[in-house]
Amino acid sequence: MTASSQIPPAIQIEDDRTGVTIPTLRRALADNLYYVLGKPPDGATLNDYYLALAYTVRDRLMQRWMASTHTHRLPTIKQVIYLSAEYLPGPHLGNNLMNLGLYETVQQAVAESGLDLATLLACEEEPGLGNGGLGRLAACFMDSLATLEIPAIGYGIRYEFGIFDQEIREGWQAEITDKWLQSGNPWEIARPEDAVFVKLGGHTEASTDETGCYQVRWIPHQTVKGIPYDTPIPGYRVNTVNTLRLWKAEAPESFDLSVFNHGDYYGAVDQKVISENLTKVLYPNDEPIQGKQLRLKQQYFFVSCALQDLIRTHLAQGGRLERFHEKFAVQLNDTHPAIAIPELMRLLVDDHHVPWDLAWTITQQTFAYTNHTLLPEALEVWSLDLLGQLLPRHLEIIMEINRRFLEDVRLKFPDNGEKMGQLSLIADQPFRSVRMAYLASVGSHAINGVAALHSQLLQKTVLRGFYDLWPEKFLNITNGVTPRRWMLLSNPRLAQLITRRIGDRWIIHLQDLRDLEPLAEDPEFRAAWRSVKQANKQALAQRILERTGIQVNVESLFDVQVKRIHEYKRQHLNVLHIITLYNRLKQNPSLDLVPRTFIFAGKAAPGYVQAKLIIRLITAVGEVINRDPAVGDRLKVVFLPDYNVTNGQPIYPAADLSEQISTAGKEASGTGNMKFALNGALTIGTLDGANIEIREAVGSENFFHFGHKVEELSQLRSQGYDPRRYCDHSPELNRAIHRLESGFFAQGNRDLFRPLVQSLLNDDPYFLMADYLSYLNCQEQVSQAFLNEATWIRRSILNTARMGEFSSDRSIREYAHQVWQVQSVPINLQPYSQSEA
Ligand code: HBZ
């Protein structure tokens, strides 16, 4: 690209594709509808209008996007490359309008065209290209990178079907295919001209060339073509527009042709289908992993596409491969892209003839690895069998990396065979496999956990041996969330109230929220704060009514737990509390109970039987409690279906209480906990993940903590934990468990919840029984606190005021300085002039 391509082509000054006056925007909307979508105004659907508006906004990003891309490619500029198998960006339109500063103008333009912006925004299908926290973190990071004007590309997979849509049928989760591309995706631009080819399968052949150089050739069984699709990621009120580049797999035409020439047309079509299957669907597992071949193919496919893309652009800019790591800082979002380490080695050594040692230095200097979980069942391993079949050359390279690594270990710890076995990238049990977290650690110069406790535990447990070897590689970078989407866009009432009092710098300097602290003592401000919360609760109540038919009391305490459904997150501990309150009410119908509305949302992995049963438990308890006239509107239990970014946005602003009740040591960080506290909810939580840091920041008096700490749980475990003991000692726990066993919530069916009850009574691996009493007492404190409205609101304000450090801008600054060594690069837009064009 040349410099002049930053400048839009010569048209009029107030062009229909760039102008931002109301008449121009209206004309652009009509224009895009007619000329891009081919729809006359009277024959257009709401979705057509949404698409036309999206194109209108995309047009207004284009000059900044091209200028950013052009500048970021310059050899002197270091770029962040985020490799993530998952992204959950949420709907783009509202966010892009906000970041461009066009929200109000477009709202008015749309209204003058007889349309309603909110209605058009609701047409957008969000890209559900992730499971949960990890994918959403990638999206928050992309927002912060652009806002901080840091050159970045996010690489990932363009899944044709994202995370399934969830419906609740007779109380059970049903999974529906997510056809997010069905009505068109106006935000992406296909770049077939940038396609790359990815090899799979086959075998390798070693030889020595004429200069005596050892060479390995990989003769693949199959080749697939990767087509990139680019989505602009604009920063907030800056010119930087970064790129999210997602790859789609297709069959290479040459392959089709060769088969076609042999007359096997149907064979060619089959091959095409096989190739395209590669990026068909996202694996809907959030934690446990199984060795599925297609998943390894997906991982390798996008990583190879990304690295080939980088090498190509680097060389095209005159860059030298020895300087690859000076141009690109590549972050591995968990181990899903860790195959990038042998892939970069292969590209450098085999394809570009870089000597091994130099290639290894470049590779280590290039990569950094973020770990997101310690759960043993979630740590990725790939069997040598599978790797050998699919990526024979990579297996050889991994073995060579391991050989050299273990040799270093041996020199450092002579005569310590045990150490070598512990550190080996290859596990022997239960089958020979590559430990991807080890591979990622060896191939990276920096390794981080995502909250202080998690980073400590990472160093002490999963990666202990590596920490002992290289303590200097390890660091903690606590997660954060973007205040643009999670406050400004999703909680406009609160954002406006805050801005009226302290100005709007908090949007990019979240620490400025501190200025709200003194206002917590101001009764007038507290009243305004309360009205905002009530309005948000009213809005959520309306959605609850529309989606579930349940009428909730907006004066009640909104007690909210939204996140993936998992035993370690302990939604069923929350349910045990609900059942206990219900039992108390049944025992004493005139009990003076603080009214609560319990709100749950979240998806369960389709194969995770126990998690699906927890959903059924929540809906079953709701069915009984919600229609018990003796309860009235003192207790309601709601399960909101299809939790995703879109449906999450109205939830956080309406919460009074945030449930963050994972077993200590299990939740790496959590990010929902940050969204709630930022929006003024108080937290009830264990000392786990980022809860610990949130509690320190907001003040322990403004945070309800309960439960055993990590060390206390390991002590319990080593003493021979007996969950039944807690039942025997707590009549209320006993009664709650009995309600479940008796079939009371299952129309007399004693079998339905038996697996849950059995698990709790027999092993209780997540210590619900041990934490029950402490949780119950803590909930009692919550209720008492809620009765005093003035102090509750005061605490709510202080939560928001003190959450400044949990902006993803802060996380990204830490990565930029401590891991990536990258700087901001402001983007200059040449002023448009007729003569230049
Ligand atoms: O990553 C989550 C952690 O559980 C959470 O504590 C943390 O806040 C968040 C961001 O750091 N982990 C995930 O969301 N993990 C996945 O979504 C996942 C997806 C595919 C897998 C394994 C895990 O194969």
Side-chain angles (χ1 to χ4, degrees):
M1 202 190 317
T2 61
S4 64
S5 60
Q6 294 173 50
I7 300 156
I11 330 174
Q12 43 201 112
I13 298 287
E14 173 73 319
D15 181 47
D16 276 6
R17 291 194 189 267
T18 58
V20 292
T21 65
I22 287 174
T24 311
L25 287 166
R26 292 189 58 191
R27 207 168 50 239
L29 185 66
D31 221 64
N32 278 319
L33 188 69
Y34 194 89
Y35 287 105
V36 176
L37 296 161
K39 288 287 179 90
D42 52 355
T45 63
L46 272 179
N47 190 64
D48 293 329
Y49 276 105
Y50 154 70
L51 290 172
L53 180 58
Y55 285 119
T56 303
V57 174
R58 197 183 82 178
D59 288 341
R60 279 146 188 82
L61 286 169
M62 212 44 97
Q63 187 190 1
R64 289 180 180 87
W65 194 11
M66 287 200 256
S68 302
T69 306
H70 172 79
T71 305
H72 294 172
R73 282 193 182 144
L74 299 174
T76 50
I77 285 177
K78 190 163 184 186
Q79 213 169 0
V80 173
I81 304 301
Y82 204 74
L83 293 187
S84 179
E86 303 193 359
Y87 290 92
L88 283 171
H92 294 290
L93 178 55
N95 195 255
N96 292 351
L97 283 172
M98 173 180 76
N99 285 10
L100 280 170
L102 287 178
Y103 204 101
E104 277 82 26
T105 318
V106 163
Q107 191 164 39
Q108 199 183 332
V110 161
E112 287 181 21
S113 299
L115 297 157
D116 169 46
L117 180 59
T119 312
L120 297 186
L121 289 171
C123 289
E124 182 168 351
E125 287 262 10
E126 72 169 75
L129 309 183
N131 275 286
L134 171 147
R136 181 54 229 175
L137 186 77
C140 282
F141 281 3
M142 290 302 292
D143 180 83
S144 287
L145 283 161
T147 297
L148 295 173
E149 303 178 286
I150 297 174
I153 305 175
Y155 282 107
I157 300 172
R158 182 178 177 276
Y159 301 105
E160 185 176 342
F161 305 121
I163 187 70
F164 62 85
D165 295 332
Q166 180 195 56
E167 283 183 11
I168 299 298
R169 294 194 188 146
E170 295 178 350
W172 295 93
Q173 166 175 295
E175 298 99 22
I176 319 291
T177 312
D178 163 46
K179 300 190 178 142
W180 71 290
L181 291 167
Q182 189 167 250
S183 323
N185 174 6
W187 301 107
E188 67 183 12
I189 298 183
R191 307 273 188 204
E193 68 278 18
D194 288 349
V196 299
F197 294 91
V198 175
K199 302 187 237 185
L200 294 164
H203 64 279
T204 63
E205 283 173 5
S207 62
T208 312
D209 71 9
E210 55 284 1
T211 66
C213 243
Y214 181 75
Q215 284 262 307
V216 180
R217 232 158 55 90
W218 174 15
I219 296 99
H221 166 75
Q222 189 197 357
T223 300
V224 291
K225 184 156 110 176
I227 315 270
Y229 286 71
D230 290 350
T231 299
I233 307 292
Y236 180 76
R237 311 278 162 103
V238 290
N239 288 331
T240 299
V241 177
N242 284 329
T243 298
L244 178 62
R245 174 163 271 205
L246 304 179
W247 299 88
K248 174 181 195 278
E250 286 192 2
E253 306 78 4
S254 60
F255 191 85
D256 279 6
L257 202 67
S258 77
V259 185
F260 184 73
N261 287 341
H262 290 94
D264 185 6
Y265 177 72
Y266 291 101
V269 173
D270 283 350
Q271 282 306 317
K272 191 170 158 59
V273 171
I274 289 169
S275 297
E276 290 183 0
N277 273 346
L278 219 151
T279 51
K280 222 8 107 183
V281 60
L282 167 80
Y283 277 93
N285 287 331
D286 58 341
E287 297 288 358
I289 54 112
Q290 323 107 305
K292 286 269 191 289
Q293 192 189 38
L294 185 61
R295 189 174 153 89
L296 180 58
K297 277 193 189 176
Q298 289 184 337
Q299 295 183 350
Y300 175 62
F301 166 75
F302 97 88
V303 152
S304 179
C305 288
L307 292 177
Q308 291 187 57
D309 201 31
L310 294 180
I311 290 179
R312 179 182 52 194
T313 52
H314 184 59
L315 295 178
Q317 292 284 323
R320 293 149 49 98
L321 286 178
E322 302 88 274
R323 310 210 128 186
F324 187 81
H325 57 287
E326 293 169 15
K327 172 64 192 166
F328 303 115
V330 183
Q331 193 67 31
L332 303 173
N333 198 22
D334 215 290
T335 55
H336 315 148
I339 196 72
I341 287 165
E343 173 66 356
L344 183 58
M345 286 300 288
R346 186 190 69 82
L347 291 166
L348 293 175
V349 173
D350 294 355
D351 289 6
H352 295 276
H353 313 292
V354 177
W356 180 283
D357 288 321
L358 177 58
W360 185 240
T361 304
I362 295 168
T363 298
Q364 283 186 315
Q365 290 313 301
T366 298
F367 290 107
Y369 158 53
T370 305
N371 172 285
H372 295 266
T373 185
L374 305 172
L375 296 190
E377 67 270 27
L379 296 174
E380 281 194 305
V381 293
W382 289 108
S383 80
L384 297 196
D385 281 352
L386 193 54
L387 271 168
Q389 277 170 39
L390 198 66
L391 303 171
R393 180 57 183 143
H394 295 76
L395 180 54
E396 291 172 359
I397 292 172
I398 291 168
M399 294 316 245
E400 179 61 11
I401 292 171
N402 195 38
R403 191 189 65 75
R404 290 169 179 245
F405 166 59
L406 290 182
E407 182 58 19
D408 290 349
V409 174
R410 198 179 60 81
L411 292 175
K412 219 168 175 168
F413 305 93
D415 309 317
N416 193 341
E418 201 186 343
K419 192 96 195 165
M420 311 234 311
Q422 280 165 7
L423 287 174
S424 175
L425 307 190
I426 310 299
D428 289 321
Q429 297 295 336
F431 47 84
R432 296 256 293 162
S433 56
V434 178
R435 298 159 162 155
M436 299 306 276
Y438 289 16
L439 177 61
S441 299
V442 171
S444 298
H445 65 276
I447 302 165
N448 77 285
V450 290
L453 174 70
H454 169 238
S455 294
Q456 284 167 21
L457 294 173
L458 187 64
Q459 294 166 15
K460 280 201 258 181
T461 62
V462 173
L463 296 181
R464 168 164 212 148
F466 296 90
Y467 179 69
D468 291 343
L469 270 183
W470 310 305
E472 69 284 357
K473 276 200 195 183
F474 284 75
L475 74 164
N476 172 63
I477 301 184
T478 300
N479 285 166
V481 299
T482 170
R484 270 74 65 183
R485 182 173 292 272
W486 297 113
M487 182 74 118
L488 193 56
L489 190 64
S490 56
N491 199 349
R493 293 183 187 93
L494 197 62
Q496 276 156 29
L497 173 63
I498 292 171
T499 297
R500 272 203 299 277
R501 300 305 295 261
I502 66 168
D504 65 359
R505 214 181 76 125
W506 62 271
I507 300 164
I508 49 168
H509 288 106
L510 201 62
Q511 296 279 16
D512 279 14
L513 289 178
R514 277 271 169 206
D515 296 349
L516 291 171
E517 271 197 33
L519 295 171
E521 309 306 328
D522 170 358
E524 220 174 287
F525 186 74
R526 282 203 299 261
W529 193 269
R530 185 190 132 85
S531 330
V532 165
K533 185 61 81 180
Q534 285 310 113
N536 290 339
K537 288 172 76 170
Q538 202 81 53
L540 182 60
Q542 185 58 36
R543 296 175 80 91
I544 291 173
L545 184 62
E546 284 160 15
R547 287 183 173 55
T548 68
I550 302 167
Q551 193 115 38
V552 303
N553 168 9
V554 294
E555 295 301 325
S556 69
L557 188 164
F558 276 23
D559 178 334
V560 189
Q561 188 172 19
V562 295
K563 51 181 79 245
R564 283 300 282 253
I565 311 293
H566 204 294
E567 287 167 281
Y568 86 76
K569 295 177 188 278
R570 303 200 293 192
Q571 280 91 357
H572 46 337
L573 179 59
N574 189 338
V575 174
L576 286 175
H577 172 234
I578 299 172
I579 295 175
T580 305
L581 293 182
Y582 179 69
N583 287 343
R584 286 182 189 167
L585 262 184
K586 294 307 269 188
Q587 232 169 14
N588 174 10
S590 59
L591 182 73
D592 191 12
L593 187 117
V594 175
R596 291 207 195 204
T597 300
F598 295 93
I599 299 165
F600 293 88
K603 292 173 184 174
Y608 189 174
V609 174
Q610 208 80 328
K612 292 175 110 172
L613 193 54
I614 292 176
I615 293 182
R616 184 65 192 105
L617 174 66
I618 296 165
T619 59
V621 168
E623 281 159 21
V624 171
I625 293 182
N626 296 345
R627 64 164 95 96
D628 188 334
V631 173
D633 65 2
R634 288 183 290 178
L635 296 180
K636 285 279 180 289
V637 181
V638 175
F639 189 95
L640 270 173
D642 203 31
Y643 180 60
N644 56 19
V645 175
T646 309
N647 294 329
Q649 282 180 193
I651 296 179
Y652 299 100
D656 293 308
L657 186 67
S658 156
E659 297 270 355
Q660 306 301 335
I661 60 178
S662 53
T663 312
K666 299 291 180 190
E667 188 71 271
S669 162
T671 45
N673 47 4
M674 301 170 188
K675 295 166 199 166
F676 279 113
L678 179 61
N679 283 277
L682 273 58
T683 305
I684 182 164
T686 46
L687 294 183
D688 196 17
N691 294 352
I692 297 171
E693 290 151 83
I694 293 174
R695 175 166 171 263
E696 273 162 19
V698 304
S700 56
E701 66 286 6
N702 302 308
F703 185 109
F704 299 94
H705 97 273
F706 75 96
H708 290 80
K709 298 185 191 140
V710 181
E711 315 83 65
E712 294 168 345
L713 290 179
S714 24
Q715 207 170 17
L716 269 184
R717 222 177 271 119
S718 64
Q719 288 163 358
Y721 175 55
D722 174 16
R724 281 181 201 264
R725 206 174 62 96
Y726 295 88
C727 244
D728 299 341
H729 286 85
S730 162
E732 288 210 293
L733 177 55
N734 202 9
R735 262 195 297 272
I737 293 285
H738 184 255
R739 282 281 198 204
L740 289 180
E741 269 180 326
S742 69
F744 179 85
F745 293 110
Q747 289 148 355
N749 179 352
R750 303 173 62 105
D751 295 330
L752 186 59
F753 299 120
R754 196 189 306 278
L756 282 175
V757 174
Q758 287 303 313
S759 165
L760 291 180
L761 293 180
N762 294 333
D763 345 313
D764 191 20
Y766 300 104
F767 296 96
L768 281 81
M769 303 282 116
D771 280 348
Y772 169 88
L773 254 192
S774 162
Y775 182 52
L776 222 73
N777 292 335
C778 194
Q779 287 286 20
E780 189 48 46
Q781 289 172 34
V782 170
S783 291
Q784 290 311 312
F786 193 67
L787 287 176
N788 188 338
E789 192 180 282
T791 51
W792 184 277
I793 301 288
R794 194 177 157 275
R795 290 166 159 192
S796 165
I797 296 168
L798 290 178
N799 263 266
T800 301
R802 297 172 178 176
M803 282 298 290
E805 68 182 89
F806 298 95
S807 167
S808 45
D809 298 348
R810 188 268 312 143
S811 311
I812 288 299
R813 280 197 193 94
E814 292 180 5
Y815 281 99
H817 296 134
Q818 299 175 41
V819 179
W820 302 327
Q821 250 81 67
V822 295
Q823 310 290 326
S824 293
V825 178
I827 299 298
N828 297 314
L829 299 179
Q830 264 106 349
Y832 177 82
S833 85
Q834 288 282 355
S835 57
E836 270 180 284

